[in-house]
Amino acid sequence: MKNLFNKELVFLDIESSNANELFKVIADDLKNKGFVNEKYYDGLISREKDFPTGLQLEDYGVSIPHTDSETVKKDFIAVVRPSFPIMFSLMEDNDKNIPVDLCFFIGLKDGKKSPLVLVELISLIQNHKLILSILNENNREKIIEKIQEVRFT
Amino acid sequence: MKKTIVIACATGVATSTVIANRVEDLCKKNNIEYQLIQCKVPEVGSYEDRADLIITSGKSPRKFKAITIKATSYITGINDEQTDKDIINALQNN
């Protein structure tokens, strides 16, 4: 799965005041790079509204925005660090909002065919050391290296 | 008797896949015969009559006819062992 990460898809210190603004910036870029189609942005917004993806971990909040696979042209995982934490609703409870420090945008044409990708991504999200180091790293290449270096158990 | 387990998330492909993976392991370890159905949350209605257990990645939009367990802990890793217990319990005692 690690080759789904790509330094061109590491977005650092993105200025936006809410999740929808962030989605716009990332969706436009992903579309320009040929990873998603024009329906991806609307898909992200509506999916996040009904089924939010905010996850509260011990020391940080993350989110995993994604939408229907029909909007994906080429598989990807984008690492997105907003300049300031962005509010997301919690996956487990739509009524609760949390500040999110880091987002992993997941685009898979067929998620059921890639269970390992998803399981490994989830283990990355739970890796405190890795996530905290991504939050403090300003070099996109180094962020990819850190992700590649993680050994899965 | 084989248990029918419905696992649902918004798109039916991402978080439900992670949950399905774990539930399969859990059933195998506990010698529970199972059939998994993975779907989108809005599709759960068409399976709820025959489901023994419904597992969702987030808050369910309504009360389903079968026992429903929320397994967000499988994504965050926080309190995931309790969710294992709840699932085994629901499958063995119903």
Short mmCIF file of all heavy atoms in Angstrom, two decimals, chain B residues 9-57:
data_model
loop_
_atom_site.label_atom_id
_atom_site.label_comp_id
_atom_site.label_asym_id
_atom_site.label_seq_id
_atom_site.Cartn_x
_atom_site.Cartn_y
_atom_site.Cartn_z
N CYS B 9 -20.78 0.46 6.31
CA CYS B 9 -20.24 1.81 6.49
C CYS B 9 -20.81 2.67 5.37
O CYS B 9 -21.61 2.18 4.56
CB CYS B 9 -18.72 1.82 6.51
SG CYS B 9 -17.95 1.45 4.93
N ALA B 10 -20.42 3.92 5.31
CA ALA B 10 -21.05 4.85 4.37
C ALA B 10 -20.91 4.40 2.93
O ALA B 10 -21.87 4.41 2.17
CB ALA B 10 -20.45 6.23 4.55
N THR B 11 -19.70 4.02 2.54
CA THR B 11 -19.50 3.65 1.14
C THR B 11 -19.52 2.14 0.94
O THR B 11 -19.54 1.67 -0.19
CB THR B 11 -18.14 4.18 0.64
OG1 THR B 11 -17.11 3.63 1.47
CG2 THR B 11 -18.07 5.70 0.71
N GLY B 12 -19.50 1.39 2.03
CA GLY B 12 -19.50 -0.06 1.93
C GLY B 12 -18.18 -0.65 1.49
O GLY B 12 -18.09 -1.84 1.21
N VAL B 13 -17.14 0.18 1.43
CA VAL B 13 -15.85 -0.36 0.99
C VAL B 13 -14.67 -0.06 1.92
O VAL B 13 -13.73 -0.84 1.98
CB VAL B 13 -15.46 0.12 -0.43
CG1 VAL B 13 -16.34 -0.54 -1.46
CG2 VAL B 13 -15.51 1.61 -0.55
N ALA B 14 -14.70 1.05 2.63
CA ALA B 14 -13.49 1.42 3.35
C ALA B 14 -13.48 0.94 4.80
O ALA B 14 -12.88 -0.09 5.11
CB ALA B 14 -13.26 2.93 3.28
N THR B 15 -14.16 1.66 5.68
CA THR B 15 -14.09 1.25 7.09
C THR B 15 -14.74 -0.11 7.32
O THR B 15 -14.29 -0.88 8.16
CB THR B 15 -14.72 2.32 8.03
OG1 THR B 15 -15.97 2.71 7.49
CG2 THR B 15 -13.83 3.51 8.16
N SER B 16 -15.78 -0.43 6.53
CA SER B 16 -16.41 -1.75 6.73
C SER B 16 -15.43 -2.86 6.35
O SER B 16 -15.51 -3.96 6.90
CB SER B 16 -17.71 -1.86 5.93
OG SER B 16 -17.49 -1.64 4.56
N THR B 17 -14.53 -2.59 5.43
CA THR B 17 -13.53 -3.61 5.06
C THR B 17 -12.58 -3.88 6.23
O THR B 17 -12.25 -5.03 6.51
CB THR B 17 -12.73 -3.13 3.82
OG1 THR B 17 -13.64 -2.92 2.75
CG2 THR B 17 -11.69 -4.15 3.41
N VAL B 18 -12.18 -2.81 6.90
CA VAL B 18 -11.29 -2.96 8.06
C VAL B 18 -12.00 -3.76 9.15
O VAL B 18 -11.43 -4.67 9.76
CB VAL B 18 -10.88 -1.56 8.60
CG1 VAL B 18 -10.05 -1.69 9.87
CG2 VAL B 18 -10.13 -0.77 7.53
N ILE B 19 -13.27 -3.43 9.37
CA ILE B 19 -14.04 -4.12 10.40
C ILE B 19 -14.26 -5.59 10.01
O ILE B 19 -14.09 -6.49 10.83
CB ILE B 19 -15.38 -3.39 10.65
CG1 ILE B 19 -15.10 -1.99 11.24
CG2 ILE B 19 -16.28 -4.19 11.58
CD1 ILE B 19 -16.30 -1.08 11.28
N ALA B 20 -14.60 -5.82 8.75
CA ALA B 20 -14.87 -7.19 8.28
C ALA B 20 -13.65 -8.08 8.49
O ALA B 20 -13.75 -9.22 8.94
CB ALA B 20 -15.27 -7.18 6.80
N ASN B 21 -12.49 -7.52 8.19
CA ASN B 21 -11.24 -8.25 8.36
C ASN B 21 -11.07 -8.74 9.80
O ASN B 21 -10.74 -9.89 10.05
CB ASN B 21 -10.12 -7.25 8.05
CG ASN B 21 -9.06 -7.84 7.18
OD1 ASN B 21 -9.38 -8.40 6.12
ND2 ASN B 21 -7.81 -7.74 7.61
N ARG B 22 -11.33 -7.84 10.72
CA ARG B 22 -11.17 -8.16 12.14
C ARG B 22 -12.23 -9.14 12.62
O ARG B 22 -11.94 -10.06 13.38
CB ARG B 22 -11.24 -6.85 12.94
CG ARG B 22 -11.24 -7.03 14.42
CD ARG B 22 -9.98 -6.52 15.02
NE ARG B 22 -10.06 -6.46 16.47
CZ ARG B 22 -9.35 -5.61 17.21
NH1 ARG B 22 -8.53 -4.77 16.63
NH2 ARG B 22 -9.46 -5.62 18.51
N VAL B 23 -13.47 -8.95 12.15
CA VAL B 23 -14.56 -9.83 12.58
C VAL B 23 -14.34 -11.26 12.07
O VAL B 23 -14.60 -12.23 12.78
CB VAL B 23 -15.93 -9.27 12.13
CG1 VAL B 23 -17.05 -10.26 12.39
CG2 VAL B 23 -16.21 -7.95 12.85
N GLU B 24 -13.81 -11.37 10.86
CA GLU B 24 -13.51 -12.71 10.33
C GLU B 24 -12.50 -13.43 11.22
O GLU B 24 -12.68 -14.60 11.56
CB GLU B 24 -12.97 -12.60 8.91
CG GLU B 24 -14.08 -12.49 7.88
CD GLU B 24 -13.56 -12.71 6.47
OE1 GLU B 24 -13.08 -11.73 5.88
OE2 GLU B 24 -13.62 -13.86 5.99
N ASP B 25 -11.44 -12.72 11.58
CA ASP B 25 -10.43 -13.31 12.46
C ASP B 25 -11.04 -13.74 13.79
O ASP B 25 -10.78 -14.82 14.30
CB ASP B 25 -9.32 -12.28 12.78
CG ASP B 25 -8.34 -12.13 11.63
OD1 ASP B 25 -8.40 -12.96 10.70
OD2 ASP B 25 -7.53 -11.18 11.67
N LEU B 26 -11.88 -12.85 14.31
CA LEU B 26 -12.51 -13.08 15.60
C LEU B 26 -13.39 -14.33 15.56
O LEU B 26 -13.36 -15.17 16.47
CB LEU B 26 -13.37 -11.84 15.91
CG LEU B 26 -13.75 -11.54 17.33
CD1 LEU B 26 -12.51 -11.40 18.20
CD2 LEU B 26 -14.54 -10.22 17.37
N CYS B 27 -14.17 -14.47 14.49
CA CYS B 27 -15.05 -15.64 14.37
C CYS B 27 -14.24 -16.91 14.24
O CYS B 27 -14.55 -17.93 14.86
CB CYS B 27 -15.96 -15.49 13.15
SG CYS B 27 -17.24 -14.26 13.38
N LYS B 28 -13.17 -16.86 13.44
CA LYS B 28 -12.35 -18.04 13.25
C LYS B 28 -11.72 -18.47 14.57
O LYS B 28 -11.75 -19.65 14.93
CB LYS B 28 -11.26 -17.77 12.21
CG LYS B 28 -11.81 -17.81 10.78
CD LYS B 28 -10.75 -17.43 9.77
CE LYS B 28 -11.39 -17.15 8.41
NZ LYS B 28 -10.55 -16.28 7.57
N LYS B 29 -11.18 -17.50 15.31
CA LYS B 29 -10.54 -17.82 16.60
C LYS B 29 -11.52 -18.41 17.59
O LYS B 29 -11.16 -19.16 18.48
CB LYS B 29 -9.92 -16.56 17.20
CG LYS B 29 -8.51 -16.30 16.70
CD LYS B 29 -7.90 -15.09 17.39
CE LYS B 29 -6.78 -14.50 16.56
NZ LYS B 29 -6.67 -13.05 16.70
N ASN B 30 -12.78 -18.03 17.49
CA ASN B 30 -13.77 -18.49 18.45
C ASN B 30 -14.68 -19.59 17.90
O ASN B 30 -15.73 -19.87 18.47
CB ASN B 30 -14.61 -17.30 18.95
CG ASN B 30 -13.77 -16.38 19.82
OD1 ASN B 30 -13.59 -16.64 20.99
ND2 ASN B 30 -13.22 -15.32 19.23
N ASN B 31 -14.25 -20.15 16.77
CA ASN B 31 -15.03 -21.24 16.14
C ASN B 31 -16.49 -20.89 15.93
O ASN B 31 -17.37 -21.69 16.21
CB ASN B 31 -14.92 -22.52 16.98
CG ASN B 31 -13.49 -23.00 17.07
OD1 ASN B 31 -12.78 -23.01 16.05
ND2 ASN B 31 -13.04 -23.36 18.25
N ILE B 32 -16.72 -19.69 15.44
CA ILE B 32 -18.09 -19.29 15.14
C ILE B 32 -18.27 -19.39 13.63
O ILE B 32 -17.48 -18.80 12.88
CB ILE B 32 -18.36 -17.85 15.62
CG1 ILE B 32 -18.23 -17.78 17.15
CG2 ILE B 32 -19.72 -17.36 15.15
CD1 ILE B 32 -18.17 -16.37 17.71
N GLU B 33 -19.26 -20.15 13.19
CA GLU B 33 -19.53 -20.22 11.75
C GLU B 33 -20.28 -18.96 11.35
O GLU B 33 -21.22 -18.54 12.03
CB GLU B 33 -20.41 -21.43 11.45
CG GLU B 33 -19.62 -22.70 11.24
CD GLU B 33 -20.53 -23.77 10.67
OE1 GLU B 33 -20.76 -23.75 9.44
OE2 GLU B 33 -21.04 -24.56 11.47
N TYR B 34 -19.88 -18.37 10.26
CA TYR B 34 -20.47 -17.08 9.92
C TYR B 34 -20.61 -16.89 8.42
O TYR B 34 -19.94 -17.54 7.62
CB TYR B 34 -19.58 -15.95 10.46
CG TYR B 34 -18.20 -15.93 9.81
CD1 TYR B 34 -17.96 -15.12 8.70
CD2 TYR B 34 -17.18 -16.74 10.28
CE1 TYR B 34 -16.71 -15.13 8.09
CE2 TYR B 34 -15.94 -16.74 9.68
CZ TYR B 34 -15.71 -15.94 8.58
OH TYR B 34 -14.49 -15.94 7.96
N GLN B 35 -21.49 -15.95 8.09
CA GLN B 35 -21.59 -15.47 6.73
C GLN B 35 -21.54 -13.95 6.84
O GLN B 35 -22.29 -13.36 7.62
CB GLN B 35 -22.92 -15.92 6.11
CG GLN B 35 -23.05 -15.52 4.67
CD GLN B 35 -24.51 -15.35 4.23
OE1 GLN B 35 -25.44 -15.54 5.00
NE2 GLN B 35 -24.68 -14.97 2.98
N LEU B 36 -20.64 -13.33 6.10
CA LEU B 36 -20.52 -11.87 6.18
C LEU B 36 -21.22 -11.22 5.00
O LEU B 36 -21.08 -11.66 3.87
CB LEU B 36 -19.05 -11.44 6.12
CG LEU B 36 -18.14 -11.55 7.33
CD1 LEU B 36 -16.87 -10.78 7.07
CD2 LEU B 36 -18.82 -11.03 8.60
N ILE B 37 -21.93 -10.16 5.31
CA ILE B 37 -22.48 -9.33 4.23
C ILE B 37 -21.94 -7.92 4.46
O ILE B 37 -22.12 -7.36 5.54
CB ILE B 37 -24.03 -9.30 4.29
CG1 ILE B 37 -24.59 -10.71 4.07
CG2 ILE B 37 -24.58 -8.31 3.25
CD1 ILE B 37 -26.08 -10.83 4.36
N GLN B 38 -21.24 -7.40 3.49
CA GLN B 38 -20.67 -6.06 3.62
C GLN B 38 -21.46 -5.12 2.71
O GLN B 38 -21.65 -5.41 1.53
CB GLN B 38 -19.19 -6.09 3.22
CG GLN B 38 -18.41 -4.88 3.68
CD GLN B 38 -16.96 -4.96 3.25
OE1 GLN B 38 -16.41 -6.03 3.07
NE2 GLN B 38 -16.33 -3.80 3.08
N CYS B 39 -21.94 -4.02 3.26
CA CYS B 39 -22.77 -3.14 2.44
C CYS B 39 -22.71 -1.69 2.92
O CYS B 39 -22.04 -1.38 3.90
CB CYS B 39 -24.21 -3.63 2.46
SG CYS B 39 -24.99 -3.52 4.08
N LYS B 40 -23.42 -0.83 2.19
CA LYS B 40 -23.54 0.57 2.61
C LYS B 40 -24.64 0.67 3.67
O LYS B 40 -25.61 -0.10 3.63
CB LYS B 40 -23.97 1.44 1.42
CG LYS B 40 -22.96 1.46 0.29
CD LYS B 40 -23.43 2.42 -0.81
CE LYS B 40 -22.46 2.35 -1.98
NZ LYS B 40 -22.73 3.34 -3.02
N VAL B 41 -24.51 1.63 4.57
CA VAL B 41 -25.49 1.76 5.65
C VAL B 41 -26.95 1.81 5.12
O VAL B 41 -27.82 1.13 5.65
CB VAL B 41 -25.17 2.98 6.55
CG1 VAL B 41 -26.30 3.26 7.52
CG2 VAL B 41 -23.87 2.73 7.31
N PRO B 42 -27.24 2.59 4.07
CA PRO B 42 -28.63 2.64 3.59
C PRO B 42 -29.15 1.29 3.07
O PRO B 42 -30.36 1.11 2.92
CB PRO B 42 -28.58 3.66 2.45
CG PRO B 42 -27.34 4.46 2.69
CD PRO B 42 -26.37 3.52 3.34
N GLU B 43 -28.25 0.34 2.83
CA GLU B 43 -28.68 -0.97 2.32
C GLU B 43 -28.98 -1.97 3.44
O GLU B 43 -29.48 -3.07 3.17
CB GLU B 43 -27.60 -1.56 1.40
CG GLU B 43 -27.35 -0.74 0.15
CD GLU B 43 -26.05 -1.11 -0.57
OE1 GLU B 43 -25.30 -1.98 -0.07
OE2 GLU B 43 -25.78 -0.51 -1.63
N VAL B 44 -28.66 -1.60 4.67
CA VAL B 44 -28.81 -2.55 5.79
C VAL B 44 -30.26 -3.04 5.89
O VAL B 44 -30.51 -4.20 6.19
CB VAL B 44 -28.35 -1.92 7.13
CG1 VAL B 44 -28.70 -2.83 8.30
CG2 VAL B 44 -26.87 -1.65 7.11
N GLY B 45 -31.21 -2.16 5.59
CA GLY B 45 -32.62 -2.51 5.69
C GLY B 45 -32.99 -3.78 4.94
O GLY B 45 -33.83 -4.56 5.40
N SER B 46 -32.33 -4.04 3.84
CA SER B 46 -32.69 -5.23 3.07
C SER B 46 -32.10 -6.51 3.65
O SER B 46 -32.41 -7.60 3.19
CB SER B 46 -32.29 -5.06 1.60
OG SER B 46 -30.96 -4.63 1.51
N TYR B 47 -31.25 -6.39 4.65
CA TYR B 47 -30.67 -7.59 5.26
C TYR B 47 -31.07 -7.75 6.73
O TYR B 47 -30.81 -8.78 7.33
CB TYR B 47 -29.14 -7.53 5.21
CG TYR B 47 -28.56 -7.37 3.83
CD1 TYR B 47 -27.93 -6.19 3.46
CD2 TYR B 47 -28.63 -8.41 2.90
CE1 TYR B 47 -27.39 -6.04 2.19
CE2 TYR B 47 -28.09 -8.28 1.64
CZ TYR B 47 -27.48 -7.08 1.27
OH TYR B 47 -26.94 -6.94 0.02
N GLU B 48 -31.67 -6.74 7.33
CA GLU B 48 -31.82 -6.77 8.79
C GLU B 48 -32.72 -7.90 9.30
O GLU B 48 -32.53 -8.38 10.41
CB GLU B 48 -32.27 -5.41 9.34
CG GLU B 48 -33.63 -4.96 8.91
CD GLU B 48 -33.97 -3.59 9.48
OE1 GLU B 48 -33.65 -3.31 10.65
OE2 GLU B 48 -34.58 -2.79 8.74
N ASP B 49 -33.67 -8.35 8.46
CA ASP B 49 -34.56 -9.43 8.90
C ASP B 49 -33.80 -10.73 9.16
O ASP B 49 -34.13 -11.47 10.06
CB ASP B 49 -35.65 -9.69 7.85
CG ASP B 49 -36.71 -8.58 7.89
OD1 ASP B 49 -36.94 -8.06 9.00
OD2 ASP B 49 -37.26 -8.25 6.83
N ARG B 50 -32.80 -10.99 8.32
CA ARG B 50 -32.10 -12.26 8.50
C ARG B 50 -30.76 -12.12 9.20
O ARG B 50 -30.03 -13.09 9.38
CB ARG B 50 -31.93 -12.96 7.16
CG ARG B 50 -31.15 -12.19 6.11
CD ARG B 50 -31.30 -12.94 4.79
NE ARG B 50 -30.86 -12.15 3.66
CZ ARG B 50 -29.68 -12.32 3.07
NH1 ARG B 50 -28.85 -13.22 3.50
NH2 ARG B 50 -29.37 -11.57 2.02
N ALA B 51 -30.44 -10.90 9.63
CA ALA B 51 -29.14 -10.71 10.29
C ALA B 51 -29.19 -11.16 11.75
O ALA B 51 -30.19 -10.94 12.44
CB ALA B 51 -28.75 -9.24 10.22
N ASP B 52 -28.12 -11.80 12.19
CA ASP B 52 -27.99 -12.10 13.62
C ASP B 52 -27.32 -10.94 14.33
O ASP B 52 -27.51 -10.72 15.51
CB ASP B 52 -27.14 -13.36 13.82
CG ASP B 52 -27.84 -14.59 13.27
OD1 ASP B 52 -28.87 -14.97 13.85
OD2 ASP B 52 -27.38 -15.13 12.25
N LEU B 53 -26.50 -10.23 13.58
CA LEU B 53 -25.76 -9.11 14.16
C LEU B 53 -25.45 -8.09 13.07
O LEU B 53 -25.10 -8.46 11.95
CB LEU B 53 -24.44 -9.64 14.77
CG LEU B 53 -23.47 -8.60 15.34
CD1 LEU B 53 -24.09 -7.86 16.53
CD2 LEU B 53 -22.16 -9.27 15.77
N ILE B 54 -25.61 -6.82 13.42
CA ILE B 54 -25.26 -5.74 12.49
C ILE B 54 -24.13 -4.94 13.13
O ILE B 54 -24.20 -4.59 14.31
CB ILE B 54 -26.49 -4.84 12.22
CG1 ILE B 54 -27.57 -5.65 11.50
CG2 ILE B 54 -26.10 -3.60 11.40
CD1 ILE B 54 -28.92 -4.96 11.42
N ILE B 55 -23.08 -4.71 12.36
CA ILE B 55 -21.96 -3.93 12.89
C ILE B 55 -21.76 -2.72 11.98
O ILE B 55 -21.66 -2.86 10.76
CB ILE B 55 -20.67 -4.78 12.93
CG1 ILE B 55 -20.90 -6.06 13.75
CG2 ILE B 55 -19.51 -3.97 13.53
CD1 ILE B 55 -19.73 -7.03 13.71
N THR B 56 -21.72 -1.54 12.59
CA THR B 56 -21.53 -0.33 11.79
C THR B 56 -20.24 0.38 12.21
O THR B 56 -19.78 0.21 13.34
CB THR B 56 -22.71 0.66 11.98
OG1 THR B 56 -22.81 0.96 13.37
CG2 THR B 56 -24.02 0.06 11.52
N SER B 57 -19.68 1.17 11.31
CA SER B 57 -18.44 1.87 11.66
C SER B 57 -18.75 3.14 12.44
O SER B 57 -17.91 3.65 13.16
CB SER B 57 -17.62 2.20 10.40
OG SER B 57 -18.38 2.99 9.53
#
